[in-house]
Amino acid sequence: MKSITVKYWQTVSLLFLLFLLTVYIFFIAILSKEVDILKAIPPAIAYELPQQQLSEANTHVANFLFLEDLAKSPDRKLVVKIVKENEHWLIVPLSHIILSIFLSVFYPALALLIFAFIAYFLISNYQRVKLRNMLDSMLNTANEIAETFGQKQSPKKQQSILVNLNYALENIARYATQYKIDTEQSAFCDKLTQLTNRHTFLEHIEEQLIIDDDNQKSGLLFIDLDGFKKVNDSFGHSFGDEILIQVAERLKSIVRSNKLGFSSKTTNLEKNLARLGGDEFTIFLHHIDGAEFAVNIAQYVLTELERDFILGNKTIKISASIGIALYPESADKPNALVQLADVAMYRAKKDGRGIYKIYSPEMGSQLRRYHYLLEEMRLAITSNNFYLTFQPIIHVDGCIISYFEALVRWQHPIEGAVTPIEFIPIAEESNQILPLGDWILSEACRQMFAWYNAGMKKTKISVNVSVIQLKHRPLYQWVMGTLSNTGLPPSSLMLEITESCFLDISEEIILELEKLRQEGVCIAIDDFGTGFSSLAILATLPVDILKIDKMFIDEATGSSKYRKILKSIIDMSHQLDLKVVAEGIEDLTQLELLKSLNVKYIQGFLISPPESSINVGTKVLDQGINHLAHNGAGVWQPTPSNTISQVV
Ligand code: C2E
Ligand code: MG
Ligand code: MG
């Protein structure tokens, strides 16, 4: 800037000097010409002076200035020597010559000046118009730019175009700054909740862990909302979005009130808290004393998220499951920390939801097995690697078979037998229970129809139906369709639905069950005593049979309290015309107890483990042929290893 100013002044001075020089040369030229004219025709004003009266010294100066004829008169006036006659000089005052020069150039100069003024006026006017047009177009461009930021400019009518342009440019500068902040934010944060996104969160943890020394501990909470899909399905996605925003707000205030924050100065984002996607959130706990601190925060988060969410006139409850991974014990890389906390969260979900779990290596191997079995199950379903076993449920009087429970088995080519306790939950979670369950129902009905035709007319087949099937299959149509495909009468079929499912199913499903009952299909509540349902619901549910869970019976043999509860369940069931089946009877003490409590139907290893269809056929059809021929019901003859023979 400084050098530009210096150059400017240098140029101006040079031009000014040039101008002076030009004026001077011009003046000299005219003056010399004028003197020549005067020499030819001396003017009236000329007068004579003797040589010696003229100052010779001044002629040097005149020489120097190219005006050889210039001299000073005795009265010290500048005069011009015109002609020398007889030692006398004819001289003319310089002022007179200048005046005549002036008069001779005045009119042309005036004309030139007027012309210059007019030219100046026209040029400047032209330039003003040109500038105005330029400013107009700049203002338009500025307005267009402002509009690309989504802002409508309203010009200030009273103000000049320059003021408007200035105003527009200031606005653009403001919008551009805001736009920069916004784009930075959207690159770093999740649009819905304005929390840090996964990428930024992981980068941030990486930065924090790099500067830590080995002794410093940190933790990571992986928070997943329970039943959020249900909220979305029931109330719509925009409602779900609102809930996520409220969850984010609660988590933010937890982070701030516990001073867990790490706020970025540029974007003002809370970098220790992120939304990873969907209903998954995570909090990074930097520099903690140990697992206890992480547990405290997890508990705090659980309590905060259990508080009612209010949206308009709706109040809903949500819980969360939390997985905790610790640095450096669990993992030392951000991605691994998140993954392991996710594994622990998954365990928290499995173990009942609404709780937290700290990651342990054993969880990781379980997750791997889960995915392995899921893949293998998909193959096994298509390649028919499943088969059914049948466990008899008998009447205590005479060991008469009331029905067989169909229990699915999976013979894996490498793993060997995989138990239903392990694979049914995986099948349910992945919805693989749908194709598998279709096969089970149809295979069980087909098998029973074969036995039915062979004489087992009074025996039913019972099939376990999971809550996923109840929700995804058109129940009535599905069951009746399978029955008609296999030829089995509806009265030979029983469906076992676990107690906990009844807490989770809709009014429509209950109506479907009722319709099936009217067709003759029996409905049983399975594993009763584990689902915490109130006894009162027994009166309202469309069920015929109550199967008391093994665990409850095991407890009742040792505790008088449990015995009393068991007795009241049995009495009440009988009053409601429900048949009671005791599951998992393994010894005589249990059998005696149940008989004393008036339970008529029992199932358990004491009578028989689940058997293959071939074994059932041999036992019932071949050995009990007389009985079948007699009354259409099979008898389960206990083998010598079973002690039932001693009691019946
Ligand atoms: P569940 O429906 O309560 O079936 C009874 C379970 O108890 C069977 O286990 C049976 O073998 C076992 N059991 C019977 N008597 C005794 C006994 O005296 N002692 C002991 N310890 N256990 C006994 P399983 O076959 O392993 O099946 C476990 C669970 O898996 C079943 O419980 C049922 O919930 C589910 N499951 C089995 N098969 C199917 C199926 O085809 N479909 C569906 N959805 N679930 C099934
Ligand atoms: Mg069952
Ligand atoms: Mg059961």
Side-chain angles (χ1 to χ4, degrees):
M1 186 71 194
K2 204 174 171 186
S3 71
I4 292 173
T5 325
V6 170
K7 266 191 185 148
Y8 171 80
W9 284 116
Q10 279 174 353
T11 316
V12 169
S13 320
L14 196 71
L15 286 175
F16 186 67
L17 279 174
L18 266 173
F19 173 75
L20 285 182
L21 197 68
T22 316
V23 169
Y24 179 72
I25 290 169
F26 182 69
F27 173 73
I28 296 293
I30 293 180
L31 190 66
S32 312
K33 202 156 181 231
E34 193 72 12
V35 171
D36 285 349
I37 296 168
L38 291 174
K39 273 178 186 165
I41 320 155
I45 195 132
Y47 52 95
E48 285 182 6
L49 267 184
Q51 168 77 38
Q52 60 272 23
Q53 282 194 21
L54 287 173
S55 160
E56 282 303 321
N58 285 333
T59 56
H60 294 304
V61 181
N63 277 343
F64 175 72
L65 292 169
F66 310 108
L67 287 173
E68 289 177 18
D69 306 319
L70 208 60
K72 269 194 180 160
S73 62
D75 56 354
R76 319 237 13 111
K77 272 187 187 163
L78 268 178
V79 292
V80 179
K81 300 184 279 184
I82 304 294
V83 193
K84 191 175 180 185
E85 275 178 5
N86 306 324
E87 293 305 307
H88 278 87
W89 276 96
L90 199 63
I91 59 165
V92 179
L94 182 64
S95 56
H96 169 76
I97 298 177
I98 288 176
L99 184 69
S100 69
I101 291 173
F102 176 75
L103 287 176
S104 67
V105 296
F106 177 75
Y107 291 108
L110 190 67
L112 209 68
L113 206 67
I114 291 169
F115 174 76
F117 267 116
I118 293 171
Y120 171 77
F121 176 76
L122 289 176
I123 289 171
S124 65
N125 203 39
Y126 167 76
Q127 292 223 323
R128 202 176 305 122
V129 172
K130 204 173 153 192
L131 186 70
R132 204 193 152 78
N133 287 345
M134 254 169 69
L135 288 177
D136 263 344
S137 108
M138 278 169 78
L139 186 62
N140 284 343
T141 317
N143 286 342
E144 275 166 25
I145 295 173
E147 272 170 35
T148 58
F149 286 107
Q151 307 284 340
K152 188 108 190 94
Q153 292 279 21
S154 44
K156 295 184 166 185
K157 289 211 174 96
Q158 308 297 323
Q159 303 290 348
S160 73
I161 190 161
L162 215 57
V163 172
N164 271 312
L165 181 63
N166 188 38
Y167 172 69
L169 288 174
E170 272 175 6
N171 280 345
I172 290 174
R174 212 157 31 83
Y175 303 147
T177 319
Q178 188 56 44
Y179 180 76
K180 191 173 161 240
I181 294 171
D182 288 352
T183 40
E184 268 177 6
Q185 286 239 348
S186 68
F188 297 136
C189 79
D190 160 55
K191 278 203 179 68
L192 179 70
T193 58
Q194 299 301 311
L195 295 185
T196 312
N197 61 23
R198 175 188 279 268
H199 180 74
T200 320
F201 179 70
L202 290 176
E203 258 186 1
H204 165 68
I205 304 180
E206 178 106 56
E207 281 163 18
Q208 299 309 298
L209 295 183
I210 283 173
I211 49 174
D212 282 356
D213 64 45
D214 292 347
N215 299 326
Q216 260 153 354
K217 293 180 177 180
S218 293
L220 191 137
L221 305 190
F222 193 110
I223 305 157
D224 188 288
L225 303 183
D226 297 328
F228 183 69
K229 191 179 172 300
K230 217 167 156 186
V231 174
N232 261 343
D233 291 348
S234 332
F235 301 105
H237 283 260
S238 47
F239 187 91
D241 284 354
E242 284 302 317
I243 295 288
L244 291 176
I245 293 170
Q246 289 197 20
V247 168
E249 285 308 315
R250 288 191 193 182
L251 294 178
K252 254 189 231 169
S253 69
I254 291 173
V255 166
R256 283 178 190 154
S257 62
N258 287 279
K259 301 198 169 49
L260 309 170
F262 187 97
S263 194
S264 147
K265 282 192 189 86
T266 45
T267 54
N268 205 23
L269 273 181
E270 191 51 75
K271 288 199 171 180
N272 279 346
L273 168 65
R275 177 176 173 228
L276 298 180
D279 59 349
E280 294 170 353
F281 297 85
T282 172
I283 300 177
F284 178 58
L285 308 171
H286 199 212
H287 290 176
I288 58 174
D289 294 336
E292 263 167 52
F293 183 79
V295 165
N296 286 343
I297 298 294
Q299 271 165 342
Y300 190 17
V301 171
L302 290 177
T303 341
E304 279 300 294
L305 295 186
E306 270 162 22
R307 278 196 294 114
D308 286 354
F309 284 87
I310 300 165
L311 253 169
N313 54 0
K314 290 192 185 80
T315 304
I316 65 158
K317 276 203 172 295
I318 285 192
S319 63
S321 302
I322 301 179
I324 304 173
L326 298 169
Y327 170 89
E329 294 100 299
S330 313
D332 59 358
K333 291 278 176 297
N335 244 322
L337 267 176
V338 173
Q339 258 175 25
L340 299 186
D342 187 9
V343 170
M345 183 284 294
Y346 181 76
R347 172 56 82 84
K349 285 244 184 247
K350 276 191 93 176
D351 286 4
R353 302 174 159 206
I355 52 171
Y356 70 84
K357 286 278 161 188
I358 301 179
Y359 173 80
S360 66
E362 151 272 324
M363 289 179 185
S365 54
Q366 277 194 358
L367 194 73
R368 277 192 293 281
R369 181 157 173 87
Y370 172 92
H371 288 293
Y372 166 68
L373 286 183
L374 179 57
E375 274 315 300
E376 292 296 297
M377 191 190 299
R378 287 202 173 104
L379 287 176
I381 290 171
T382 48
S383 51
N384 257 336
N385 275 347
F386 290 94
Y387 66 95
L388 292 185
T389 56
F390 302 88
Q391 189 176 28
I393 285 85
I394 61 155
H395 194 284
V396 285
D397 301 332
C399 296
I400 295 162
I401 302 166
S402 172
Y403 67 91
F404 284 102
E405 179 172 5
L407 294 159
V408 68
R409 294 289 176 262
W410 180 9
Q411 191 61 33
H412 188 275
I414 301 163
E415 299 290 319
V418 185
T419 68
I421 306 281
E422 188 174 14
F423 73 78
I424 290 288
I426 301 176
E428 287 180 337
E429 260 172 60
S430 59
N431 280 1
Q432 289 299 310
I433 194 70
L434 296 174
L436 182 60
D438 291 350
W439 176 81
I440 294 169
L441 181 67
S442 132
E443 177 60 15
C445 291
R446 188 201 60 74
Q447 181 60 68
M448 192 62 228
F449 184 61
W451 287 334
Y452 187 84
N453 282 342
M456 266 201 256
K457 303 257 183 216
K458 281 198 172 173
T459 313
K460 293 177 194 283
I461 186 81
S462 177
V463 176
N464 291 285
V465 178
S466 102
V467 69
I468 307 292
Q469 291 169 282
L470 295 179
K471 284 182 180 170
H472 289 84
R473 290 280 179 256
L475 198 56
Y476 179 82
Q477 213 182 316
W478 173 59
V479 173
M480 293 309 286
T482 313
L483 283 171
S484 77
N485 286 345
T486 52
L488 189 73
S491 57
S492 296
L493 180 67
M494 185 164 129
L495 300 179
E496 291 191 18
I497 297 164
T498 37
E499 183 196 7
S500 52
C501 290
F502 282 99
L503 303 172
D504 204 23
I505 57 178
S506 64
E507 201 53 37
E508 289 88 65
I509 297 174
I510 304 266
L511 287 174
E512 295 266 292
L513 287 174
E514 191 52 65
K515 267 165 73 184
L516 285 175
R517 272 182 85 208
Q518 280 161 16
E519 297 286 347
V521 177
C522 272
I523 310 290
I525 300 188
D526 202 358
D527 303 338
F528 190 83
T530 54
F532 308 107
S533 53
S534 82
L535 285 177
I537 66 156
L538 290 180
T540 54
L541 290 178
V543 287
D544 309 276
I545 291 167
L546 188 88
K547 296 185 75 176
I548 299 172
D549 191 69
K550 176 179 184 332
M551 183 274 287
F552 211 91
I553 286 156
D554 288 347
E555 290 290 338
T557 38
S559 141
S560 63
K561 250 190 199 162
Y562 266 90
R563 261 200 302 280
K564 281 179 192 154
I565 301 173
L566 189 57
K567 186 175 178 338
S568 55
I569 293 173
I570 294 164
D571 290 348
M572 193 166 155
S573 304
H574 286 152
Q575 274 167 20
L576 293 168
D577 283 336
L578 298 174
K579 283 180 185 163
V580 177
V581 177
E583 290 185 308
I585 308 303
E586 288 179 341
D587 58 47
L588 289 172
T589 331
Q590 288 173 331
L591 182 65
E592 281 306 321
L593 170 73
L594 291 162
K595 277 171 92 178
S596 73
L597 293 172
N598 210 14
V599 172
K600 297 289 178 202
Y601 298 91
I602 54 167
Q603 173 182 12
F605 293 169
L606 184 65
I607 292 91
S608 167
E611 292 280 7
S612 69
S613 59
I614 297 172
N615 284 358
V616 171
T618 320
K619 215 160 189 142
V620 183
L621 297 174
D622 296 353
Q623 296 169 12
I625 194 87
N626 290 337
H627 229 281
L628 272 186
H630 216 195
N631 55 17
V635 176
W636 195 265
Q637 296 293 343
T639 53
S641 60
N642 291 339
T643 43
I644 187 82
S645 51
Q646 299 168 16
V647 288
V648 289

